[in-house]
Amino acid sequence: QKEVEQDPGPLSVPEGAIVSLNCTYSNSAFQYFMWYRQYSRKGPELLMYTYSSGNKEDGRFTAQVDKSSKYISLFIRDSQPSDSATYLCAMRTNNAGNMLTFGGGTRLMVKP
Amino acid sequence: DSGVTQTPKHLITATGQRVTLRCSPRSGDLSVYWYQQSLDQGLQFLIQYYNGEERAKGNILERFSAQQFPDLHSELNLSSLELGDSALYFCASSPRRISYEQYFGPGTRLTVT
């Protein structure tokens, strides 16, 4: 079993929909949680960063962390065709330096 | 554009060969990371260098090695290549040894035939 699990999708939604992307993890030592977006044939780019539990909002994006359930989410409001990409969750502990553990990614398609 | 450059973009080589992938970090960034992305394993951390010194090691095979030079560019050397080494190899950089932000390059696609 992988340390970080993510439904690979694809997830297909109509433009304007609210999208929910999720990851579960098994290592309770993870303290820092990130969401990266990766367009086809490009490198991942950081979208959101959260430390420990709680919510964080940035424009149309909201990241949630529930450490008690070992579950993190990314919500995208008013989804746009330009949001079509693969979304990767990533996490790290306090003790692993800057080593990130990634989920497998969820492919999102937003249809006009 | 993240400011991280990687060369070459594509590389096709045969089993048993050795290749070198090159990465130039963003201006001013001292940390460089290497990742391997394959369909079955996803994005896997290989190794981190900070200001020329190795700082963290992930699931990097013994056939693979890396270094960071005084001008901060980095090279990933892959030897005795196997079919299973075919993957996208990403380099990322960050300003400090520990930073929540890692800026990824466009990747090098390696195909081993």
Side-chain angles (χ1 to χ4, degrees):
Chain A
Q1 187 184 3
K2 293 184 177 180
E3 269 191 302
V4 181
E5 298 279 358
Q6 196 175 357
D7 187 328
L11 178 62
S12 182
V13 301
E15 183 175 352
I18 296 174
V19 175
S20 171
L21 303 166
N22 311 296
C23 286
T24 59
Y25 61 94
S26 56
N27 187 349
S28 57
F30 285 135
Q31 295 281 349
Y32 301 86
F33 304 90
M34 285 136 279
W35 285 94
Y36 281 80
R37 178 175 62 195
Q38 185 176 19
Y39 290 114
S40 180
R41 300 191 189 91
K42 301 283 188 184
E45 56 176 326
L46 181 66
L47 272 180
M48 301 282 289
Y49 160 74
T50 313
Y51 171 68
S52 196
S53 284
N55 293 357
K56 187 172 185 179
E57 190 173 320
D58 184 2
R60 296 185 296 112
F61 298 91
T62 300
Q64 285 186 354
V65 175
D66 182 349
K67 289 190 68 183
S68 62
S69 301
K70 297 192 183 72
Y71 188 86
I72 71 170
S73 300
L74 177 71
F75 297 95
I76 307 174
R77 290 182 298 281
D78 187 25
S79 56
Q80 303 294 310
S82 58
D83 295 328
S84 298
T86 296
Y87 290 80
L88 301 147
C89 61
M91 20 196 110
R92 70 171 177 90
T93 69
N94 267 331
N95 303 320
N98 219 25
M99 189 180 95
L100 298 182
T101 301
F102 281 84
T106 298
R107 187 174 161 218
L108 171 67
M109 295 186 297
V110 181
K111 297 187 174 180
Chain B
D1 184 358
S2 67
V4 177
T5 60
Q6 288 186 250
T7 57
K9 285 187 179 179
H10 302 280
L11 201 48
I12 301 174
T13 189
T15 54
Q17 295 298 306
R18 172 189 167 98
V19 297
T20 298
L21 312 184
R22 183 188 168 103
C23 167
S24 292
R26 294 186 325 152
S27 177
D29 283 0
L30 299 178
S31 272
V32 169
Y33 314 80
W34 286 98
Y35 290 86
Q36 179 193 58
Q37 188 174 41
S38 61
L39 281 174
D40 55 342
Q41 294 293 324
L43 193 60
Q44 301 248 312
F45 169 79
L46 294 177
I47 198 163
Q48 177 198 2
Y49 279 83
Y50 174 75
N51 206 19
E53 293 188 10
E54 183 184 305
R55 284 298 182 177
K57 216 167 186 176
N59 297 323
I60 188 167
L61 299 171
E62 285 191 11
R63 301 183 284 110
F64 296 1
S65 64
Q67 53 184 327
Q68 186 179 27
F69 294 86
D71 67 353
L72 301 178
H73 91 271
S74 179
E75 292 181 356
L76 179 67
N77 300 295
L78 315 175
S79 61
S80 302
L81 285 167
E82 302 174 0
L83 295 177
D85 297 327
S86 295
L88 267 169
Y89 290 85
F90 287 105
C91 168
S93 73
S94 67
R96 296 169 293 278
R97 185 173 66 85
I98 295 179
S99 169
Y100 70 86
E101 285 184 286
Q102 292 186 22
Y103 299 89
F104 281 75
T108 292
R109 181 173 293 279
L110 173 66
T111 302
V112 182
T113 62

